[in-house]
Every structure is written in C-alpha cells, then in structure tokens.
Amino acid sequence: MATTSLLLLLFTLFLSKFPILTLSDDNNDNHTPLKTYIVQTDNNSKPSIFPTHYNWYTTEFLSEPTHLLHIYDTVFHGFSAKLSPSRAASLADHPAILAVMPDRRRELHTTRSPQFIGLRNQRGLWSDSDYGSDVIIGVFDTGIWPERRSFSDINLGPVPARWKGVCMPGDGFTARNCNNKIIGARYFSKGHDTSAFQVNKTVEFNSPRDADGHGTHTASTAAGRHAFKASMQGYAPGIAKGVAPKARIAVYKVCWKNAGCFDSDILAAFDSAVVDGVDVISISIGGGDGISSPYYLDPIAIGSYGAVSRGVFVAASAGNDGPSGMSVTNLAPWLVTVGAGTIDRNFPADVVLGDGKRLSGVSLYAGVPFKGKMHQLVYPGKSGVLTASLCMDDSLDPDLVKGKIVICDRGSNPRVAKGLVVKKAGGVGMILANGISNGEGLVGDAHLLAACAIGSDEGDAIKSYIATAKNPTATIDFKGTVIGIKPAPVVASFSGRGPNGLNPEILKPDLIAPGVNILAAWTDAVGPTGLDSDSRKTEFNILSGTSMSCPHVSGAAALLKSAHPNWSPAMIRSALMTTATITDNQNRPMTDEVTGNASTPYDFGSGHVNLISALDPGLIYDITNDDYVNYLCSIGYSAKLIQMISRTAVRCPTKKPLPENLNYPSVAALFSSFSRGSITKSFIRTVTNVGEPNAVYRGKTESPKGVIVKLKPSKLVFTEKTKKQSFIVTVTANTKNLVLGDSGGAFGSFSWSDGKHNVRSPIVVSQMDPL
C-alpha cells in the first residue's frame, strides 16, 4: 500500500513537471492524413517512473502505440511515428523534445577499377591488409542478391566474434542466405510503408533480397570475392573483384525499388549498424531535392556522426547533380564525401553518317548489330516539341520513326527508357545526344535496342547533317571493350561539385574514385536496364554514378582498417586524401569530362584515390569528437542544436573557435567579397607521424596567382617521443592581383615531404560571404 501511494505521488509530481499534452488523438484533425515524423528527445529527460523509452514515448507523446515506427537509442535518441502536422507542431514545444523533423525521401546516387586505384595481387595494401579480412562493411542500399559468386564464403574464416548482428528472414530470404561473407542482413521499411509508396510484391521483396540491383552492385564493388569469367553480356570480360575481397558484408536495406529511401529508416539502420559492430558504412544515398539541410536536420549527418564518434568510418556519395557548381551533397565534415571519375576502360561505338563522317560515342548494346547497314535518320525534336525531342512516353509518331534510327536528347526521363520509347514506336535504333550541360560526358547503357550515346558537339553535328542532307542516313558500329584509354582518370560530368553549399570553409568533395562504367554483381530480379519490361538476366552489370565511386572508398577504408586497426575514421580519411593523385595516366593534370579543361579541387577535392601510397602516408591529420563539437560551435550552432547531433549536452568555449581551424586535410581560405587590398588568413593544423619514428619533413607550397602561401615552421622534426607537430598555414591574397576562375576559386597546395612520403593538401582561395 505504501509503495502504491509513493508511485501515485511520483506520478503526480511528474505530471506537474511534464504536463502530458492532449493525447486524445495523434491525428487531431480526423480529416488530416497522418505523416511520418522523426522526433528527437533529450535522453536525460526521461522520467524514472517509465521503465523503458517505449513506455515513455507511447505514454507521454502518442495516444496510439501502433503509430510508433522506430525507437532510436544509439546514434540518436528519439523515435519516429505517424502524426498529424498539428500534433507534430505541439510536440515540438515539449521541454523534453529537441526537434521534430518530417520524414524525407531520398534517392540513390546511381572489374578493372581495383587495379586502377593501385591494388595488385600479393603486393602492397591487398597483401598487407589480407584483402580486408574480418573488417565488416555495412552497406546501406537496396539489399543484396546473395546467390551471386561475388558473395561466396569459400575459404573465409568464421564470422568475427565481435559481430552482434542478425540475418532477418522475409520474402525470398532466410537465415541460410547469410554465410561467412554476408554475415548479417536487415531491412527497414516502416518509414517507407507509411508513405505514399507501398511495397509492390510483384516487383519487390519485403526482405533483404534486392529487387533493384543497386545494392548488389555497390556491395560487390566494395567487397566482392574474385569471380572468374565475369562480364556484362560480353562487355568488360575478366575477373570481377571488389576492393576488399575478404571483408565481410552486413546488409541494411533502406531503399526500395521505385520508391527511394526514407530518413526514418536510414536513421534506424545507423542505429542498428553501430550496435551490430560494423567497421565501415557505405551509403550511396543523398537528398533528392538538391538542397542540403543543416547538419542538425539531416538524419544522414546525425546518424553518421553517431557512427564516427564510435570509431566507424562512413563514406557517402557526392551526388550526381554535376557539373553545376555547389552541387555536391553529404557535406558533414565527419563524412568522407566521394565524387566520381573515369577509369581507363571504355565501350566505344561510332555513329557513321551517310556522308562518311564518323562520330565517337559509347554503348553497352549486346544485341544483333547493324553490320554496316544504313538506316534513315530522324530527329523528332526538329518539330520544336520538347517531349518529342526527349523521347518521352507516347511522344513519338510511329509513322515518323518506324524503321529509322531516332535521335533523342538526354534529360528528364531515364536514358534506357528513351530507347524503350523508340522501340515501342517502331524505331530500329537510337542516338542519345548530350546537351550543353552534360558536355562530352558519356556513360554506357545496356539498351534494349541498338543505341549509342554521344557528346554535345557530336549531337549538334548530327542534327546539322539531318537539317542539310536530302536523305540523312546512319549506322552504328559497336566496338566492344577497349582498355588503356587515355587520359584517365577524368572527372565525370555528373559528379557533384564544390564549393560546399553549407560551410565553404570545408572543401567538398573530399576525393574522387572510379564511378563510370563499373562492372559489379547484379540482381536476378530485373534486367540490366532496370526496366520492368527488360526480361534479360545477367550476373553482372555495368553502372555509373557516385553510387559506384562511394563503395570503392568504403572498400579502401576496410583495407586500411585491416592494416591499421587502431586508426580512427579521420586518420583513414587523411591517408586517402593526402596521398590522392591529381594527375592522369599521361602524367598531366586531371581534366573535366564536360569541358576537357583542367579540373580543380572543387571537382575532385584532394584528388583521385591512390592506394599505392595510402597504406604508408607518413603523416596524418586526426580529428576527435571534441574537435567536431568545437567546429559546430564555430559555425554558430547553439548548445541545443549541437546536442541534436552529438546526443549529449555540450558547452561551447568562451572564445568562439574558427571553423577553418578544424584539423582537416585541406584548406579553404574564404575572404569576404567586400575585402580590398592585401588580406590574410591563418590556419592551424596538427599532424601525427605514423611512419618511421625519427623523421624530418620539409614544407613546400604552390601558391595561386595573386596569393602567397607560407608554412610556419617550414620544417617538422619527429622523434620517438615527439609524434605530433603543429604548424600554421598563412594565406595572403591581394585582391588587385587575385585571379578567380570560372568556378569562383583560385587553387594551390602545400605539402610535407621527408624524401619518401609526400603529404599533400589542396588550398582553395575564394571571395564569398557564407550564409
């Protein structure tokens, strides 16, 4: 009796401190549909009267427990639930709630590449890391097709003892589909299920099984086993293998065919992956609206912070909205943001015009070739109708295109879908022409009819030929696979570009990796085009996108983690960035696929990943959790906003830190657009010696025109006792002589060398006023 009275008293006191909101209905307006919201709570505010967070959330914040979707308790404290907008607004006023965010839909950023980034059998990083053995890569994507040879566990040891994950059964997927290679698999659909998109069981699996192909492709790119006699219908023949062939794969299906990926599910995957025990997370997902949210409202930034703070390396794709400036996404400084470049392999196809002129393009068409037969050539866009020029659904007149090769302009609908439109209208072939925005950047596609992609200049040439020839004709000559292409790498036209749209003091992307025409494993649920009407089956497929470059870096991180188990995520990133190359295979500066001109750090960050040197970088730039908190203080975040990211209460220093002093392996000198004359900024950096204990490094600078870069001191001496040294980078610009390029930046670098190692960091100088 006394115990009961005490509980009643405690509950009464609780009510007086935290008055329960009106809970008659989570949908206060019965005519208002429920939406999914992510609710972040202050973990320290949970009243002790509630034994669990579930009791707290369902009692105090929700009238209907079935409206609760996910509970987060590792990288994030809070829950997601179905709420009316008015209910969500009232929750935001509760003292125990830090934030209420609407669930947002995101998009995926859709064999020779391991050699191209410097990996060789029985040598270097592959040998020293035992091919990434026992490192666990968590892949956040569309699931996996486990039967592929790339996921064989032959000769792999037992599952690492530290692994705590599970193999979730579901449609077409059982615990037997996991093995010593795929050691865990989960799927997250509650956010997806409460959206307007429902799982269509005729094309999707309510399980970790992959109906889309994207997840199978990225998982095998990062960690696929050796698969002999691999190809995509004869293209790119050889041995397919991932970057870290012995690494273990943990599958987190957060994206669904034709439906995208929802923040509430992504955040739940981060929560599970960290508890499960992954070492690396690969996430080829980004905002689908082209807008980067502040870190405290971005579940990928929040989830990745929670992972990185626990020692998990997170690689994310830079997005496919290039070549526009400020198009890079996934901008948080604790993330490694990966852009895309080409490799030295291509799939050329020539368009041969009736006047004998040859125009170069690319194609992965594997059907019956034309064998030189000429066909009439037609450009539906000549009519001035935009939908016809783009070959949109039902836009083509069969009487106009039947039996002809049709020119379609790139954009608006998927490239392979345009070919299907042409085929349905009776066309025998398609020439896919880039616009000015895509320039000469080309990617191959496994079209359903004879088709070839060409650049903007070639497209204009063909259209001019059609306009002047009495009887325009053409054929397409498919040339298969060609290796040894020069120059390579080239920055892919679609790769997300800087500057950083949130905080330009941090250069993004961080680096680029192979992301054009990448061969990797594929699902059996859909053909190589991904179209529902494509009934072809293929074990491997060739795709392009920063979705493909991201898992290259995830695999590289797994190799470095295996070789250096005690390295932090920031140390691994530093090793990758400071050893990246900025030249191509002709030993010339990397170029931009769009223009053919020299590319810049806004395009490639620190450069193209180069694992020959990353194993032994000499010096590294490390960053601690406290450093990230100080950075958030420096960009003006309040203690409450920072707690929304860090999960714990923080106190900013009395003297506000400078954002440029985050110990990042690159430097962005941002001067006010109103500055005149000589202006100077100084940047403090600290390096840790991870090479020979007794070493002397000497500094070298490359200054942009109108800029003077100095290092103080100019020499760093390390001993067995002195492993860390700090220095100052001083950037002085004279606005009278400062030359900013078309991108709005001037570019240079500084480096430290001991004769064996060259530790290079890019410098970007710009004049802008951050928001």
Side-chain angles (χ1 to χ4, degrees), residues 25-67:
D25 195 345
D26 293 328
N27 182 6
N28 292 341
D29 179 355
N30 291 327
H31 299 290
T32 303
L34 299 180
K35 298 180 180 179
T36 300
Y37 290 85
I38 300 169
V39 181
Q40 186 172 20
T41 60
D42 180 352
N43 195 49
N44 296 323
S45 295
K46 182 181 81 68
S48 58
I49 193 171
F50 295 116
T52 67
H53 285 82
Y54 173 85
N55 297 121
W56 183 29
Y57 299 152
T58 55
T59 301
E60 186 170 358
F61 304 126
L62 301 172
S63 64
E64 181 54 63
T66 59
H67 289 173

Side-chain angles (χ1 to χ4, degrees), residues 568 570-571 574 578 618-624 627 660-667 683-690 711-713 716 718 722-729 750 752 759 761:
S568 69
M571 294 171 76
S574 175
T578 60
L619 305 177
I620 58 91
Y621 296 83
D622 199 7
I623 303 177
T624 66
D627 294 331
E660 54 262 34
N661 284 339
L662 181 67
N663 201 36
Y664 220 72
S666 58
V667 164
F683 305 81
I684 301 171
R685 293 291 186 269
T686 300
V687 287
T688 302
N689 181 21
V690 293
L711 299 175
K712 185 178 181 180
L716 302 177
F718 298 92
T722 306
K723 297 184 180 298
K724 291 188 176 185
Q725 291 279 19
S726 296
F727 60 93
I728 297 174
V729 185
F750 68 90
W752 296 100
V759 187
S761 294

Side-chain angles (χ1 to χ4, degrees), residues 379-397:
Y379 175 47
K382 189 177 181 180
S383 65
V385 178
L386 180 62
T387 55
S389 71
L390 294 168
C391 298
M392 305 287 282
D393 284 342
D394 301 320
S395 66
L396 301 182
D397 180 356

Side-chain angles (χ1 to χ4, degrees), residues 185-199:
R186 296 179 184 267
Y187 63 100
F188 301 84
S189 63
K190 292 179 180 178
H192 166 271
D193 292 344
T194 57
S195 71
F197 300 89
Q198 299 296 313
V199 173

Side-chain angles (χ1 to χ4, degrees), residues 22-166:
T22 304
L23 297 181
S24 58
D25 195 345
D26 293 328
N27 182 6
N28 292 341
D29 179 355
N30 291 327
H31 299 290
T32 303
L34 299 180
K35 298 180 180 179
T36 300
Y37 290 85
I38 300 169
V39 181
Q40 186 172 20
T41 60
D42 180 352
N43 195 49
N44 296 323
S45 295
K46 182 181 81 68
S48 58
I49 193 171
F50 295 116
T52 67
H53 285 82
Y54 173 85
N55 297 121
W56 183 29
Y57 299 152
T58 55
T59 301
E60 186 170 358
F61 304 126
L62 301 172
S63 64
E64 181 54 63
T66 59
H67 289 173
L68 183 69
L69 301 179
H70 296 293
I71 291 178
Y72 312 108
D73 58 11
T74 302
V75 302
F76 182 88
H77 293 309
F79 61 93
S80 57
K82 294 183 291 182
L83 303 167
S84 68
S86 59
R87 180 77 182 118
S90 65
L91 281 180
D93 293 330
H94 194 281
I97 289 179
L98 297 175
V100 179
M101 298 174 276
D103 202 7
R104 192 163 60 126
R105 181 172 175 262
R106 296 177 182 261
E107 302 286 351
L108 293 160
H109 288 149
T110 351
T111 60
R112 186 171 164 75
S113 48
Q115 288 89 337
F116 191 68
I117 59 177
L119 294 171
R120 298 292 185 272
N121 282 327
Q122 308 302 323
R123 285 189 286 153
L125 187 50
W126 258 351
S127 175
D128 288 356
S129 68
D130 190 22
Y131 298 83
S133 180
D134 288 354
V135 176
I136 303 167
I137 303 176
V139 182
F140 291 18
D141 216 292
T142 62
I144 199 162
W145 198 266
E147 291 82 8
R148 292 306 187 212
R149 289 183 291 158
S150 297
F151 308 124
S152 166
D153 66 352
I154 294 175
N155 296 326
L156 278 182
V159 173
R162 69 184 188 282
W163 176 246
K164 299 176 183 177
V166 299

